[in-house]
């Protein structure tokens, strides 16, 4: 096992703290998206309220696709969705009421926001799945690049 100097261990501790902080923030964003998406489209039947979308176990990529597929929209997409929304309110479970909230954005704002959230998703995947392979935490240069990447991503 490699022995690290006290300075190296202190630097690793800083990197671990920053990585942990980033992961906790990412999880908070994911939980926030799930909370918003689970309540923006709800069907009320004789069995009670039921969210239209099931989100348990959804990845950030799935959440982002659902966000732009149902909550955030443009005028053109809203008109298309309205013309395609022909199925029964309660999905065949009897009488019911459907309450759906959508936010209409100008096309350029929709595209910009979608691009930014896709970049956010890629950053999250890089931090969670590829951080250790991109940064050699056993070297001075590795933990410096790791810390710089975490600062840039924060």
């Amino acid at each position: 096992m490699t022995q690290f100097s006290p300075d190296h261990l202190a630097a690793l501790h800083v990197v671990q703290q920053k990585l942990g902080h980033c992961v906790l923030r990412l999880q908070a964003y994911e939980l926030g998206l799930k909370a918003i998406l689970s309540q923006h489209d709800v069907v009320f039947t004789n069995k009670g309220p039921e969210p239209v979308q099931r989100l348990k176990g959804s990845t950030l990529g799935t959440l982002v696709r659902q966000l732009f597929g149902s909550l955030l929209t443009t005028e053109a997409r809203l008109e298309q969705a309205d013309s395609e929304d022909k199925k029964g309110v309660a999905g065949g479970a009897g009488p019911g009421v459907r309450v759906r909230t959508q936010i209409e954005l100008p096309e350029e704002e929709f595209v910009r926001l979608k691009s930014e959230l896709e970049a956010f998703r890629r950053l999250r995947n890089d931090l969670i799945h590829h951080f250790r392979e991109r940064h050699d935490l056993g070297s001075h240069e590795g933990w410096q690049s790791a810390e710089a990447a975490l600062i840039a991503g924060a």
Side-chain angles (χ1 to χ4, degrees):
M1 188 159 132
T2 305
Q3 292 291 328
F4 294 114
S5 71
D7 288 343
H8 187 97
L9 291 174
L12 282 176
H13 182 69
V14 169
V15 168
Q16 289 170 340
Q17 281 184 314
K18 289 182 180 186
L19 180 59
H21 179 74
C22 286
V23 169
L24 291 173
R25 286 181 62 194
L26 287 166
Q27 289 177 345
Y29 291 137
E30 288 184 41
L31 289 173
L33 269 176
K34 285 181 181 180
I36 291 167
L37 288 171
S38 70
Q39 298 300 314
H40 93 280
D41 195 359
V42 179
V43 173
F44 296 86
T45 67
N46 58 354
K47 296 177 184 175
E50 281 288 322
V52 172
Q53 298 178 351
R54 300 280 179 222
L55 302 171
K56 186 175 183 178
S58 294
T59 65
L60 182 60
T62 300
L63 295 173
V64 168
R65 280 190 299 279
Q66 289 178 343
L67 179 71
F68 287 96
S70 61
L71 177 63
L72 300 178
T73 190
T74 63
E75 183 178 357
R77 287 176 172 86
L78 188 60
E79 290 171 3
Q80 180 183 4
D82 285 344
S83 69
E84 293 172 359
D85 195 10
K86 303 292 185 200
K87 66 180 179 180
V89 169
V97 175
R98 183 175 188 173
V99 178
R100 180 179 7 190
T101 304
Q102 291 183 299
I103 300 171
E104 184 180 329
L105 299 170
E107 183 70 31
E108 58 277 355
E109 183 69 14
F110 181 88
V111 170
R112 183 191 64 77
L113 189 57
K114 190 172 185 178
S115 174
E116 288 177 2
L117 282 173
E118 180 58 28
F120 175 70
R121 184 199 62 78
R122 284 191 307 271
L123 175 64
R124 180 254 182 227
N125 286 348
D126 189 50
L127 282 173
I128 299 301
H129 300 293
H130 306 291
F131 190 78
R132 291 291 303 260
E133 65 191 38
R134 286 194 170 78
H135 305 284
D136 176 15
L137 299 180
S139 73
H140 178 75
E141 296 80 18
W143 57 258
Q144 281 185 323
S145 72
E147 185 175 9
L150 292 168
I151 290 169

